[in-house]
């Protein structure tokens, strides 16, 4: 019942509060995690919105520059195709008949001179060159060299480039108009100059011609003046803008990598401004605003560790008390049995004497010796119990005086003579007369020797030889009791001196004899030891320091 109260008190004062703290801590951790996830989601939305705003701002700038007639680097522009169908003038037709059918370039030149427009000037220069009027042809070419670049043939090649090809010189401000030239015109320009800008522009022009059909298809599907439609791999963004001077919309394509993070099919969708486009936006790892998770987990771990450790200590304490209670129960049972045996013998022999009287003096003496022996055995058992009780309460007092250990072992041998003889034991006593006196308690030392002899009788098995020796050993007096019995296993040799412990439960005893021997030896400044081999016997020794100068 006391253990139950102790466990209940432990649960009420330690376990329950700890569990409450753990539950509250876990709740805080979960709430903090939910808050962090909510903040992360809000931050994610803010990041996506910022990326979208930045991209739209840069794309709006590109649209504005294209509308103003500029061509930003890296942007593919597909301008609306202007009708460049040359007006078929009567004079031009008559001139071509005279030049190619009549083979009369001079007559053809007269017809070309009367026709208007830069195209007629180009034909005039050709006819003059054929007729041998080189100066006139050069004059016409130089005039065309300064013609505006929007004066071009049906293929988009400016007439100024045709004149430049004949004169082998570049038109003025040609590189300012480079971004407006189609690929066919750029190829002609490339033959006139080795400038690296021309091949780069050819690649962009070819790209524009390649994506022109795709841009036209996207323009039919999306309102490209309001949105940017992705296409291609790697993705481009298709848009449209109307020139500031008015006119048809200009289609343009911008590399998505210029304004947006890398595309990702499992990424974040940017919304209606970029239909169907998903990009990768890295998540930002923000530290929790509240208490650190590591701190909370550490605190919870500490609380659980303290609780478990306290539970372990309580379990060990209860287990130890239960073990002690069990040993005490066994002790009571063993002592009761030990007390009952001599009492039964005393009563039996006393009743026998009363019934038979004193007719047989020999038998009368044996009965009396048995009664005396059992009385002494009973006294030793009671003394052991009383001494153990005093030792546990710390009230055991020893009376030290100069003592001859030879007298002690002689008295012990005399006391054990009758029980040894009754059980068929042979006791060999060896006492070194040179052992000096020691300061010791005579009764305690005799009790210790008697306990060792009694223990030797119990564990001798079928052997019947016991040796009791006393000799000097390096400044100490050494008392040894040797038997040839069952022996003690090495694992149990360190436990046989524990209170209530018995190596063999089948052997009667209270488990106090060796405990008292060890306490007596230590109280005298000495020690007790054992050497044993299972099946060959045991030797117990008491080592007591001799008096100084002896």
């Amino acid at each position: 019942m006391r253990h139950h109260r102790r466990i209940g008190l432990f649960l009420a004062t330690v376990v329950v509060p700890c569990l409450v703290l753990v539950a509250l801590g876990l709740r805080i951790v979960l709430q903090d995690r939910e808050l962090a996830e909510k903040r992360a989601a809000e931050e994610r939305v803010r990041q996506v919105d910022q990326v979208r705003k930045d991209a739209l701002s840069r794309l709006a700038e590109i649209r504005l520059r294209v509308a103003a007639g500029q061509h930003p680097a890296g942007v593919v522009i597909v301008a609306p195709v202007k009708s460049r169908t040359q007006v078929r003038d009567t004079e031009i037709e008559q001139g071509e008949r005279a030049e190619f059918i009549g083979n009369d370039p001079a007559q053809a030149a007269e017809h070309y001179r009367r026709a208007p427009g830069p195209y007629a000037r180009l034909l005039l220069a050709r006819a003059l060159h054929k007729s041998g009027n080189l100066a006139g042809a050069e004059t016409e070419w130089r005039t065309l060299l300064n013609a505006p670049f929007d004066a071009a043939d049906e293929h988009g090649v400016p007439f100024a480039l045709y004149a430049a090809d004949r004169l082998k010189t570049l038109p003025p401000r040609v590189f300012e108009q480079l971004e407006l030239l189609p690929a066919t015109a750029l190829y002609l320009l490339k033959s006139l100059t080795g400038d690296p800008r021309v091949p780069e522009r050819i690649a962009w022009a070819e790209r524009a011609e390649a994506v022109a059909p795709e841009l036209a298809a996207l323009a039919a599907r999306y309102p490209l003046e309001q949105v940017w439609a992705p296409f291609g791999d790697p993705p481009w963004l298709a848009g449209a803008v109307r020139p500031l001077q008015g006119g048809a919309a200009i289609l343009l394509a911008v590399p998505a990598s210029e304004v947006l993070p890398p595309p990702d099919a499992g990424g974040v969708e940017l919304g209606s401004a970029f239909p169907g486009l998903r990009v990768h936006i890295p998540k930002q790892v923000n530290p929790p605003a509240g208490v650190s998770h590591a701190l909370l987990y550490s605190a919870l771990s500490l609380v659980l560790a303290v609780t478990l450790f306290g539970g372990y200590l309580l379990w060990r304490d209860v287990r130890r008390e239960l073990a002690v209670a069990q040993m005490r129960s066994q002790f009571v049972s063993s002592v009761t049995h030990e007390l009952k045996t001599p009492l039964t013998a005393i009563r039996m022999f006393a009743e026998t004497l009363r019934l038979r009287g004193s007719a047989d003096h020999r038998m009368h003496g044996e009965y009396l010796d048995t009664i005396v022996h059992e009385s002494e055995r009973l006294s030793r058992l009671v003394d052991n119990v009383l001494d153990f009780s005093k030792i546990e309460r710390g009230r055991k007092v020893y009376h030290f005086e100069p003592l001859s250990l030879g007298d002690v072992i002689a008295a012990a041998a005399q006391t054990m003579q009758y029980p040894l003889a009754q059980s068929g034991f042979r006791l060999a006593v060896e006492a070194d007369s040179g052992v000096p006196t020691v300061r010791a308690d005579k009764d305690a030392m005799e009790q210790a020797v008697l306990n060792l002899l009694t223990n030797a009788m119990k564990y001798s098995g079928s052997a019947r030889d016991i040796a009791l020796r006393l000799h000097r050993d390096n400044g100490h007096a050494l008392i040894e009791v040797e038997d040839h019995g069952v022996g003690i296993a090495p694992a149990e040799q360190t436990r046989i001196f524990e209170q209530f412990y018995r190596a063999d439960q089948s052997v009667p005893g209270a488990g106090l004899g060796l405990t008292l021997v060890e306490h007596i030896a230590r109280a005298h400044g000495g020690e007790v030891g054992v050497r044993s081999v299972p099946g060959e016997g045991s030797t117990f020794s008491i080592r007591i320091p001799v008096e100084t100068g002896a």
Side-chain angles (χ1 to χ4, degrees):
M1 183 63 69
R2 183 178 61 182
H3 300 318
H4 293 165
R5 287 198 300 270
R6 183 181 300 177
I7 294 174
L9 182 62
F10 175 76
L11 292 174
T13 58
V14 178
V15 176
V16 173
C18 287
L19 292 177
V20 172
L21 288 176
V22 170
L24 291 176
L26 291 176
R27 181 177 177 84
I28 292 174
V29 170
L30 292 176
Q31 288 179 343
D32 195 26
R33 181 175 298 174
E34 291 176 358
L35 181 60
E37 291 176 354
K38 183 177 180 181
R39 288 176 176 171
E42 294 174 352
E43 178 65 19
R44 190 78 166 167
V45 172
R46 189 197 67 78
Q47 289 179 358
V48 173
D49 187 60
Q50 186 63 40
V51 168
R52 182 170 53 250
K53 287 181 178 179
D54 292 343
L56 289 175
S57 176
R58 294 179 62 184
L59 292 170
E61 180 183 354
I62 292 174
R63 268 195 176 122
L64 182 61
R65 292 178 62 186
V66 172
Q70 301 178 13
H71 196 145
V75 178
V76 171
I77 295 178
V78 179
V81 179
K82 297 180 180 179
S83 175
R84 294 191 176 97
T85 303
Q86 300 299 324
V87 177
R88 303 302 295 175
D89 188 89
T90 304
E91 294 292 339
I92 290 178
E93 292 178 353
Q94 292 177 359
E96 289 178 344
R97 289 192 191 98
E99 181 181 359
F100 296 108
I101 300 174
N103 196 19
D104 186 359
Q107 182 65 32
E110 293 300 326
H111 289 289
Y112 293 148
R113 188 176 283 113
R114 289 192 292 269
Y119 179 60
R121 302 278 73 76
L122 180 63
L123 298 179
L124 174 61
R126 183 181 67 191
L128 291 174
H129 187 271
K130 287 182 179 181
S131 64
N133 187 359
L134 301 182
E138 183 175 352
T139 300
E140 295 298 331
W141 282 331
R142 290 195 179 279
T143 301
L144 286 174
L145 191 64
N146 296 306
F149 272 61
D150 57 355
D153 63 8
E154 65 272 17
H155 302 293
V157 180
F159 296 118
L161 286 181
Y162 287 116
D165 182 56
R166 302 299 297 185
L167 297 172
K168 304 302 178 185
T169 184
L170 295 178
R173 301 184 303 278
V174 64
F175 290 105
E176 296 179 7
Q177 308 292 328
L178 195 64
E179 297 172 350
L180 301 178
L181 297 178
T184 52
L186 290 169
Y187 277 113
L188 180 57
L189 181 62
K190 181 180 178 183
S191 66
L192 299 174
T193 179
D195 194 296
R197 289 176 289 180
V198 177
E200 293 179 3
R201 183 56 205 161
I202 289 175
W204 280 100
E206 290 177 344
R207 176 67 179 172
E209 292 177 3
V211 301
E214 196 165 1
L215 290 180
L218 289 172
R221 182 178 178 186
Y222 298 104
L224 293 185
E225 294 184 33
Q226 288 82 35
V227 302
W228 291 89
F231 70 95
D233 186 20
W236 288 66
L237 299 176
V241 64
R242 292 187 178 275
L244 298 179
Q245 297 83 1
I250 299 174
L251 300 179
L252 63 152
V254 181
S257 59
E258 294 291 328
V259 294
L260 290 173
D264 184 3
V268 181
E269 189 170 355
L270 291 179
S272 58
F274 302 90
L277 181 63
R278 292 180 176 271
V279 296
H280 173 71
I281 298 180
K283 294 182 179 180
Q284 294 185 355
V285 180
N286 297 321
V291 182
S292 170
H293 285 178
L295 180 60
L296 283 174
Y297 284 128
S298 299
L300 293 178
S301 300
L302 179 61
V303 169
L304 288 175
V306 170
T307 305
L308 293 175
F309 183 68
Y312 166 73
L313 294 179
L314 176 63
W315 171 79
R316 190 178 68 170
D317 185 50
V318 171
R319 182 171 174 268
R320 183 183 299 169
E321 287 196 7
L322 290 175
V324 171
Q326 183 179 4
M327 286 190 295
R328 285 178 176 172
S329 176
Q330 294 177 354
F331 166 73
V332 171
S333 177
S334 300
V335 168
T336 302
H337 179 74
E338 288 286 296
L339 290 173
K340 186 177 181 181
T341 301
L343 287 174
T344 301
I346 292 172
R347 179 180 178 182
M348 180 184 66
F349 285 105
E351 290 179 351
T352 302
L353 286 176
R354 186 179 66 179
L355 293 174
R356 294 185 179 181
S358 59
D360 188 344
H361 293 285
R362 184 180 64 82
M363 188 66 69
H364 182 273
E366 290 180 1
Y367 287 174
L368 290 177
D369 288 339
T370 302
I371 292 174
V372 171
H373 162 66
E374 295 297 336
S375 299
E376 292 174 348
R377 177 182 172 187
L378 186 60
S379 297
R380 287 196 301 273
L381 180 59
V382 172
D383 290 340
N384 283 342
V385 175
L386 293 176
D387 286 343
F388 175 73
S389 177
K390 291 178 181 178
I391 290 171
E392 276 208 323
R393 296 198 305 270
R395 295 182 180 179
K396 177 63 178 176
V397 179
Y398 295 98
H399 302 282
F400 295 94
E401 58 183 356
L403 178 65
S404 171
L405 292 179
D407 296 339
V408 170
I409 66 170
Q414 180 65 33
T415 302
M416 295 298 295
Q417 181 178 3
Y418 182 80
L420 288 170
Q422 286 294 104
S423 300
F425 282 93
R426 294 178 293 275
L427 178 63
V429 181
E430 300 177 10
D432 185 357
S433 59
V435 176
T437 59
V438 298
R439 290 191 58 79
D441 185 304
K442 181 178 182 300
D443 293 336
M445 291 304 300
E446 186 173 343
Q447 182 184 15
V449 175
L450 289 173
N451 284 344
L452 291 180
L453 289 173
T454 303
N455 200 64
M457 290 178 60
K458 293 179 180 179
Y459 293 94
S460 285
S462 59
R464 286 296 179 264
D465 291 318
I466 299 176
L468 175 59
R469 295 187 291 268
L470 170 65
H471 56 89
R472 187 168 184 172
D473 179 35
N474 193 23
H476 291 77
L478 188 65
I479 302 174
E480 294 183 328
V481 175
E482 180 182 9
D483 65 68
H484 302 280
V486 297
I488 305 171
E492 295 183 332
Q493 291 181 16
T494 57
R495 299 195 60 192
I496 55 177
F497 297 100
E498 296 177 6
Q499 59 187 16
F500 310 132
Y501 183 80
R502 289 181 295 162
D504 188 353
Q505 298 293 328
S506 63
V507 178
L512 294 178
L514 293 179
T515 303
L516 293 174
V517 172
E518 183 183 40
H519 188 273
I520 292 170
R522 290 183 177 179
H524 286 74
E527 60 182 3
V528 63
V530 60
R531 302 189 309 275
S532 180
V533 177
E536 297 182 9
S538 305
T539 300
F540 288 86
S541 60
I542 302 175
R543 185 186 300 271
I544 304 295
V546 299
E547 290 186 328
T548 304

